[in-house]
Amino acid sequence: MRVKVVRRKKGWLGLSGGPLVQKRGDFQEKAASKGTLAPVKMADAVQPDPCSLEILSEKTSTPGSPANARNDCSITPLTPSPSPRVENRPRMSCPFSVVVAIDFGTTSSGYAFSFTQDSEAIHMMKRWEGGDPGVANQKSPTCLLLTPDLRFHSFGFAARDFYHDLDPEEARHWLYFDKFKMKIHSTSDLSMETELEAVNGRRVRAIEVFAHALRFFRQHALKEVKDQSSSVLEGEEIRWVITVPAVWRQPAKQFMREAAYLAGLISPDCPEQLLIALEPEAASIYCRKLRLHQVIDLSMQPITNGLDADGSRPFDSSFRQAREQLRRSRHSRTFLVESGTGELWSELQTGDKYVVADCGGGTVDLTVHQIEQPQGTLKELYKASGGPYGAVGVDLAFETMLCQIFGEDFIQSFKAKRPAAWVDLTIAFEARKRTASPGRANALNISLPFSFIDFYKRHRGQSVEAALRRSNMNIVKWSSQGMLRLTQEAMNELFQPTINNIVKHIEVLMAKPEVRGVRFLFLVGGFAESPMLQRAVQRALGRSCRIIIPHDVGLTILKGAVLFGLDPTVVRVRRSPLTYGVGVLNRFVEGRHPRDKLLIKDGREWCTDILDRFVSVDQSVALGEVVRRSYTPARVGQRKIIINIYCSATDDVTYISDPGVRKCGAITLDLPEPLPPAGAAGGAGSAALERREIRATMQFGDTEIKVTAVDVISNRSVKASIDFLSN
């Protein structure tokens, strides 16, 4: 992407850490962010510096002056910055002895690990105690239980089963959290104080709930690693990887990192020990290793009314056979991967495109990659996209159906007064939901807990069967054995809204010019196991590309996360999901800039609130590609620089006050005590300090935005960080 640059004049930066002057350095024409200085009228000329800080005992604009409102945006560029440059980062020998990946899912979670000296073997976690009959328990339900006094009790099957066995009155005092992950994405003002609500209505800080879960995984994973390691491993020898949806914003990614710090996975002083992996990207990395016998090609299985073309077997039978084979081999828990790329990959040539659709519990997450031969690296072609169309949507549709039959007020009352029984009912539905298939002729039976039947009779004064008859919902029947019988039509009603959203989202993506000509569509994630989803995707897209499902589809992301931890350079180019920048001042040009952006400072006319972009939305950013900015303190003795960052979902923005532009974080630079120049006298020393340059380098090509800084005069590193959770 060619970037036009323009020369700019000198100005001042005054933010919450103190006023700054931007040093002679370079700025892209397309690089900016948002400020909040109010417009200054011509009559307000020659005001004191509106960006001076009260904490530094500086005078501000006169009370009532519009300039008081704007104190975020006063960086003025001097000379243009070169376009973002790429710093070559050769693959180095891994300083870690083992990589442990945690797939923190909406409905189920798990971990896996691999030793760097034997990186072709991926070890899955031990079988969990408890579990559902007929379900491969390689992962555990994402549910957590706290005692009434808020202490951690258990996670996964242990939490679910213990909560189920509690006396109903006692259960009301325990805090049970289930499918809580998506709260982090759906919360627009996510912070360290964001709370989660337990089933019983009590609230706890979300960061503590996530830290409890990660601490649980840490303890179990370390025990297994030590059991299999012949040497004593130190904490710094372990690299941790945590998976997140690709559609998660930067605050949610930082939240998971902060939870990992709180859980003791790593120290904040060693952030490089933790990688945040994007779920569909991890799946894509693993798919590179697949051999032909490890996948099912839906494009090779034409169907008619849920049966194969010859009418001989249900559509999903081959997948079930593969799952059985996988189950039988689960005793080893060790999966071997190709040292190079798999047979499937040999069919791809340089420039070939493919889509990975991660269909999980909470979201569908899509990424588009292009293969780069001969090195086998990946290039992202289109920014990650997706939406809240996971398997949880089917659960919510079931709850809505219950509300239609029994009344919303009753269902809400039952959830509040019999929380453990409600969890029981959702577990029963989950088990039956997995068996739903498009060719199924007989109804699915959902067991109603006795407490549900009894509670309804007390609450309404009539039987559950009478409620069903009165609801006129003919697609749901009542069994004398105490079960709801859901017909095929009922299951279609529950599945179709979510499945239609997934198919539509994939179709919209594949119609985009950058994505046309896709050869493969990989379906991964827990929901990809559903024959209902498989059939719908095959019918809609089977003629335009090959649809591939790995046999161990629910573990694809987990295995890929381990491979990503072993080699984070495998994805060479990513796309920026948003436009990022800072707010700057530029020389005011009459007729070009609006009058309400005019700021008079020291007799000069400035245009405020200009967005100076670091990177634009959907811009290709290579691994190691950086944007550099240089700043200098305006006053001797200043010890901190804080620069607000702004973002936008579009690139069609000029000012930080434009619609859709919002403050999303802040860069903090802690300034070390300056070293006086050798042999400098007082006056000369002061002049040198005024010219002190802090050079900040921001990196956008990784899964997280990173910032580093150097004090040029002393060549010392400056502590630098980006905070997306302070808003």
Side-chain angles (χ1 to χ4, degrees):
M1 180 178 186
R2 295 290 178 185
V3 178
K4 180 183 176 184
V5 293
V6 293
R7 288 211 172 271
R8 302 180 183 176
K9 300 293 184 179
K10 182 176 179 180
W12 298 86
L13 169 62
L15 297 162
S16 56
L20 305 161
V21 178
Q22 181 140 33
K23 287 289 288 187
R24 189 173 298 274
D26 290 315
F27 272 75
Q28 292 172 254
E29 173 67 7
K30 282 194 168 188
S33 191
K34 194 168 187 171
T36 57
L37 292 174
V40 178
K41 300 176 184 176
M42 294 299 292
D44 292 320
V46 198
Q47 293 284 356
D49 182 2
C51 292
S52 300
L53 301 173
E54 294 183 16
I55 59 171
L56 296 177
S57 302
E58 298 291 337
K59 294 182 179 180
T60 59
S61 302
T62 35
S65 166
N68 276 328
R70 283 188 181 152
N71 55 11
D72 277 358
C73 173
S74 53
I75 310 172
T76 306
L78 270 179
T79 55
S81 202
S83 301
R85 65 203 77 187
V86 176
E87 297 183 340
N88 291 326
R89 300 197 303 182
R91 184 176 176 182
M92 303 174 65
S93 58
C94 184
F96 306 101
S97 299
V98 63
V99 171
V100 181
I102 299 173
D103 180 11
F104 202 118
T106 301
T107 54
S108 60
S109 301
Y111 63 85
F113 58 93
S114 179
F115 296 96
T116 55
Q117 297 302 313
D118 185 20
S119 58
E120 293 178 23
I122 298 177
H123 307 276
M124 307 303 296
M125 63 190 186
K126 287 180 180 176
R127 287 183 69 93
W128 295 83
E129 295 181 3
D132 301 321
V135 179
N137 298 319
Q138 203 70 54
K139 293 166 74 174
S140 175
T142 307
C143 46
L144 182 139
L145 185 63
L146 301 182
T147 64
D149 56 356
L150 303 183
R151 289 181 294 109
F152 175 78
H153 181 272
S154 49
F155 181 90
F157 287 116
R160 196 187 75 179
D161 295 344
F162 184 90
Y163 187 64
H164 165 270
D165 292 338
L166 284 172
D167 177 86
E169 284 304 314
E170 189 180 1
R172 294 172 63 180
H173 302 289
W174 288 67
L175 287 79
Y176 182 82
F177 299 90
D178 187 21
K179 300 181 178 71
F180 51 86
K181 173 184 171 184
M182 290 315 297
K183 170 77 172 178
I184 303 309
H185 177 64
S186 60
T187 302
S188 58
D189 55 347
L190 182 64
S191 74
M192 298 291 281
E193 302 305 317
T194 297
E195 293 182 333
L196 292 176
E197 185 175 316
V199 172
N200 66 353
R202 290 182 62 184
R203 303 181 70 86
V204 179
R205 288 174 66 217
I207 193 77
E208 294 176 6
V209 176
F210 278 80
H212 280 311
L214 291 175
R215 195 176 296 117
F216 171 85
F217 283 123
R218 174 183 177 274
Q219 292 169 353
H220 280 256
L222 288 182
K223 184 179 185 304
E224 278 200 67
V225 168
K226 289 174 181 175
D227 287 346
Q228 296 201 33
S229 174
S230 57
S231 59
V232 178
L233 289 173
E234 301 296 333
E236 61 272 14
E237 293 183 71
I238 300 174
R239 164 173 271 169
W240 295 88
V241 182
I242 298 177
T243 65
V244 302
V247 292
W248 271 20
R249 295 181 288 266
Q250 291 296 330
K253 295 176 184 176
Q254 183 184 335
F255 181 92
M256 291 302 291
R257 179 170 285 276
E258 296 292 343
Y261 292 152
L262 187 60
L265 262 67
I266 62 166
S267 164
D269 297 328
C270 303
E272 68 282 354
Q273 260 191 276
L274 172 65
L275 296 178
I276 299 296
L278 309 182
E279 290 166 357
E281 195 173 277
S284 177
I285 292 169
Y286 176 68
C287 288
R288 295 164 65 246
K289 304 286 188 178
L290 289 172
R291 299 182 67 86
L292 292 177
H293 72 272
Q294 295 175 311
V295 303
I296 294 172
D297 189 343
L298 291 187
S299 310
M300 307 298 288
Q301 299 178 4
I303 59 169
T304 306
N305 296 326
L307 299 177
D308 285 347
D310 61 1
S312 60
R313 57 180 180 165
F315 163 72
D316 59 316
S317 64
S318 58
F319 189 85
R320 289 182 176 177
Q321 290 170 7
R323 196 158 55 183
E324 267 317 305
Q325 181 182 357
L326 179 66
R327 239 187 241 125
R328 287 195 294 270
S329 66
R330 282 266 167 88
H331 64 276
S332 67
R333 298 186 308 103
T334 298
F335 292 82
L336 298 180
V337 295
E338 294 287 308
S339 56
T341 54
E343 294 167 321
L344 196 61
W345 225 246
S346 64
E347 299 184 32
L348 291 171
Q349 300 175 350
T350 299
D352 278 351
K353 309 170 187 176
Y354 65 94
V355 173
V356 175
D358 171 23
C359 306
T363 58
V364 60
D365 223 4
L366 307 179
T367 192
V368 187
H369 280 163
Q370 190 174 51
I371 186 73
E372 296 181 315
Q373 300 286 23
Q375 63 271 36
T377 52
L378 304 176
K379 176 181 179 181
E380 188 176 25
L381 291 183
Y382 191 78
K383 64 177 182 176
S385 61
Y389 316 130
V392 169
V394 182
D395 302 337
L396 295 176
F398 177 63
E399 182 177 335
T400 300
M401 180 180 284
L402 292 178
C403 289
Q404 291 172 352
I405 297 171
F406 302 108
E408 185 175 355
D409 59 331
F410 167 76
I411 295 298
Q412 296 306 322
S413 176
F414 180 71
K415 288 168 69 175
K417 296 183 178 179
R418 297 289 186 271
W422 173 255
V423 171
D424 232 10
L425 178 54
T426 60
I427 293 170
F429 176 72
E430 175 71 23
R432 303 306 292 156
K433 180 179 74 173
R434 294 173 181 270
T435 66
S437 62
R440 187 184 182 100
N442 56 322
L444 282 174
N445 291 332
I446 312 293
S447 297
L448 284 182
F450 172 77
S451 57
F452 184 98
I453 299 170
D454 180 64
F455 193 77
Y456 185 79
K457 193 164 187 176
R458 294 186 183 194
H459 193 272
R460 291 281 202 245
Q462 60 178 329
S463 68
V464 166
E465 185 179 4
L468 263 174
R469 284 198 304 267
R470 197 180 69 253
S471 70
N472 293 321
M473 190 166 288
N474 298 324
I475 57 177
V476 181
K477 309 294 183 182
W478 175 248
S479 163
S480 58
Q481 296 177 332
M483 297 181 180
L484 291 178
R485 291 177 55 79
L486 273 61
T487 63
Q488 182 62 43
E489 186 182 352
M491 294 307 293
N492 285 337
E493 279 200 14
L494 297 181
F495 274 85
Q496 284 313 310
T498 297
I499 287 177
N500 290 343
N501 279 326
I502 293 174
V503 171
K504 182 179 178 182
H505 204 88
I506 298 175
E507 288 177 330
V508 169
L509 175 69
M510 293 178 67
K512 294 186 179 295
E514 306 95 318
V515 186
R516 285 178 188 156
V518 163
R519 286 199 59 191
F520 290 96
L521 168 62
F522 290 94
L523 278 185
V524 302
F527 197 25
E529 293 183 3
S530 168
M532 303 282 280
L533 176 61
Q534 293 173 19
R535 196 269 296 268
V537 172
Q538 183 191 21
R539 281 187 165 175
L541 303 162
R543 289 180 175 84
S544 59
C545 63
R546 289 177 63 183
I547 302 169
I548 305 295
I549 303 179
H551 282 177
D552 51 344
V553 63
L555 303 177
T556 304
I557 293 165
L558 188 49
K559 294 178 186 178
V562 173
L563 296 175
F564 176 69
L566 291 167
D567 180 15
T569 67
V570 64
V571 181
R572 195 187 61 81
V573 178
R574 292 183 174 89
R575 295 274 180 159
S576 176
L578 295 170
T579 294
Y580 291 99
V582 296
V584 301
L585 299 178
N586 209 340
R587 291 302 297 269
F588 187 86
V589 178
E590 193 69 45
R592 177 183 173 188
H593 296 134
R595 298 291 296 175
D596 63 356
K597 299 295 183 186
L598 176 63
L599 174 69
I600 309 296
K601 181 194 284 283
D602 299 330
R604 295 182 178 179
E605 294 186 353
W606 301 98
C607 179
T608 189
D609 288 356
I610 293 177
L611 181 69
D612 185 39
R613 291 167 182 78
F614 291 153
V615 65
S616 297
V617 63
D618 205 31
Q619 178 180 331
S620 290
V621 189
L623 194 65
E625 195 166 314
V626 298
V627 176
R628 288 204 176 100
R629 298 289 188 270
S630 291
Y631 306 107
T632 185
R635 292 176 179 80
V636 176
Q638 188 174 320
R639 291 292 172 264
K640 182 172 288 190
I641 300 172
I642 298 179
I643 306 163
N644 290 325
I645 304 175
Y646 297 85
C647 66
S648 169
T650 68
D651 194 38
D652 186 24
V653 290
T654 304
Y655 303 100
I656 58 175
S657 53
D658 287 348
V661 181
R662 59 186 176 85
K663 179 184 172 186
C664 63
I667 301 175
T668 300
L669 305 176
D670 289 336
L671 308 184
E673 187 72 32
L675 299 174
S686 281
L689 287 177
E690 289 177 6
R691 293 192 300 272
R692 182 182 186 186
E693 179 181 357
I694 306 299
R695 184 174 297 157
T697 300
M698 281 146 287
Q699 189 169 297
F700 292 88
D702 287 310
T703 57
E704 297 174 277
I705 298 174
K706 300 174 183 175
V707 59
T708 56
V710 173
D711 185 4
V712 175
I713 197 169
S714 65
N715 202 31
R716 287 191 290 174
S717 293
V718 174
K719 184 179 179 183
S721 61
I722 298 184
D723 184 9
F724 291 102
L725 291 173
S726 60
N727 299 302

